[in-house]
Amino acid sequence: MIKLSYPVQDELTDPDESWLTAQYLKGPNDFSFVAFWIIAFTYIRAFFMKSIFTPMGKGLGIRGSKLERFEEQMYILVYYIVSWTCGMTLMYHSPYWMNTDHYWIGYPHTKTSGAFKAYYLIQFGFWIQQIYVVNTDMKRKDYWAMLIHHFITCALIGFSYFMHLTRIGNAILCVMDVSDVFLAIPKILKYQGYTTICDFLFGLFVISWAITRHYLFPIIIMSLYNKPQVILDMEWNPAKSKYMSANVRLAFLGLLYGLEAVLCFWFLMIFKVIYKMFKGGSADDNRSHDEDSGEEEQVEEKKKA
């Protein structure tokens, strides 16, 4: 399960080559690798949150429901730093770095390095596991938007992987991951009471969100909108591993438009936070749970009594 399937075996194969740089194909056994990571992330998340981030939060004086949110944001911060770094490293050393035409040139891209295949399938496992998380954690105010986002993300990763569209998939994952890093940091600081620096970092998050999700992401969408029919023959021919037909392009565009719609909904919520800040408030993420809930409310009631 934890070993990659379908290594390329031909006359050019070096038996001593590292699995990271060796070439791999795709196939149904890859679902076993994804299934392993869905389960693994459930235990990894629980271990990091309860064995590492709970003691860390308590040591910083965080209590009540804020402690649970602190644990979650620390886990998200660590994951997105790792995933974004891996994704950007792979993209930087690729032909499609700063050149969206190479999403399509040479299609179908049936072979990937072991490092790329592991990165992509682990991301797939993470996002499927996040559907479980969003349904078992305390409900967020934007529960339905988050659930739709996760389903679209999983559909895009699976769709792009088995239809050999992983180059554009890698680019999308990278532009999505980075702003989540900038969001997690001010939240973590806010739970520790650092309101001023939190507000400043929230401003950096808004800038990163606008650039990555409403400038770079639309550039990727426009590449899909304009380029495949120019560069490719748009032939549906599974025997030749060709899946980029006119209908597939439209389906892929539909998923990306749906994702952008969710991002626009969240950006509207972010503007509400900005408006609140200009009115003298602080940078609270109004997508999250109520700040004064659960255990903290009970403490306040006992004080009043």
Side-chain angles (χ1 to χ4, degrees):
M1 273 191 172
I2 60 174
K3 185 177 180 180
L4 294 174
S5 303
Y6 308 108
V8 173
Q9 300 289 343
D10 57 27
E11 64 278 3
L12 299 177
T13 301
D14 180 358
D16 298 321
E17 186 176 11
S18 167
W19 70 270
L20 292 169
T21 55
Q23 295 293 296
Y24 287 80
L25 298 169
K26 308 178 184 78
N29 287 346
D30 292 334
F31 283 114
S32 298
F33 188 84
V34 174
F36 169 82
W37 281 101
I38 294 170
I39 298 169
F41 274 123
T42 302
Y43 288 98
I44 291 170
R45 181 176 182 270
F47 171 77
F48 272 88
M49 289 179 65
K50 300 305 178 185
S51 299
I52 299 177
F53 300 137
T54 294
M56 181 187 297
K58 289 180 177 178
L60 293 170
I62 303 171
R63 296 292 187 271
S65 60
K66 286 186 178 181
L67 180 60
E68 182 178 343
R69 297 196 295 273
F70 171 83
E71 298 164 6
E72 175 67 24
Q73 292 305 313
M74 283 297 302
Y75 173 74
I76 287 173
L77 177 63
V78 170
Y79 178 80
Y80 283 130
I81 287 175
V82 173
S83 65
W84 182 77
T85 302
C86 291
M88 286 296 290
T89 300
L90 290 165
M91 189 161 64
Y92 179 75
H93 294 287
S94 75
Y96 53 95
W97 173 253
M98 305 296 287
N99 189 340
T100 59
D101 285 356
H102 277 277
Y103 297 158
W104 321 110
I105 294 172
Y107 180 84
H109 309 115
T110 56
K111 299 177 183 178
T112 66
S113 67
F116 188 97
K117 178 169 183 169
Y119 158 79
Y120 216 81
L121 294 179
I122 289 171
Q123 285 272 48
F124 197 11
F126 172 81
W127 282 106
I128 293 175
Q129 198 269 340
Q130 283 296 296
I131 294 175
Y132 167 78
V133 169
V134 80
N135 282 287
T136 54
D137 278 6
M138 288 189 297
K139 286 291 189 292
R140 297 165 55 103
K141 295 178 181 177
D142 64 338
Y143 167 79
W144 287 108
M146 184 67 72
L147 191 63
I148 292 169
H149 170 274
H150 289 0
F151 273 115
I152 292 176
T153 300
C154 291
L156 283 169
I157 295 174
F159 177 56
S160 61
Y161 181 77
F162 287 103
M163 293 194 171
H164 312 303
L165 298 167
T166 50
R167 291 185 174 187
I168 189 172
N170 177 206
I172 293 170
L173 286 168
C174 286
V175 299
M176 293 296 164
D177 284 351
V178 64
S179 60
D180 284 316
V181 173
F182 284 100
L183 177 59
I185 294 173
K187 281 188 173 184
I188 290 167
L189 292 174
K190 181 176 176 59
Y191 300 146
Q192 299 174 61
Y194 298 109
T195 305
T196 303
I197 187 65
C198 167
D199 290 348
F200 171 75
L201 291 175
F202 182 79
L204 294 181
F205 156 70
V206 173
I207 294 171
S208 73
W209 179 289
I211 292 173
T212 57
R213 302 197 178 198
H214 300 293
Y215 175 68
L216 296 178
F217 183 48
I219 288 176
I220 295 172
I221 295 176
M222 291 309 296
S223 177
L224 176 62
Y225 186 84
N226 291 319
K227 293 298 184 177
Q229 62 271 35
V230 175
I231 297 173
L232 306 179
D233 57 16
M234 304 301 286
E235 177 187 8
W236 174 271
N237 191 341
K240 295 181 179 180
S241 298
K242 290 185 175 183
Y243 300 99
M244 180 49 86
S245 65
N247 288 335
V248 168
R249 171 178 161 274
L250 290 176
F252 201 3
L253 279 171
L255 289 172
L256 294 183
Y257 289 148
L259 184 56
E260 181 62 19
V262 174
L263 298 179
C264 287
F265 168 74
W266 278 331
F267 205 34
L268 176 61
M269 299 181 77
I270 291 169
F271 270 113
K272 291 181 179 179
V273 176
I274 296 172
Y275 177 76
K276 179 182 175 183
M277 291 174 67
F278 277 113
K279 300 288 281 186
S282 60
D284 294 332
D285 180 10
N286 55 17
R287 300 178 306 156
S288 300
H289 324 292
D290 292 335
E291 289 296 322
D292 301 313
S293 60
E295 190 174 328
E296 292 161 316
E297 282 187 350
Q298 294 172 15
V299 171
E300 290 299 322
E301 288 175 1
K302 289 178 181 178
K303 287 180 179 178
K304 292 177 181 178

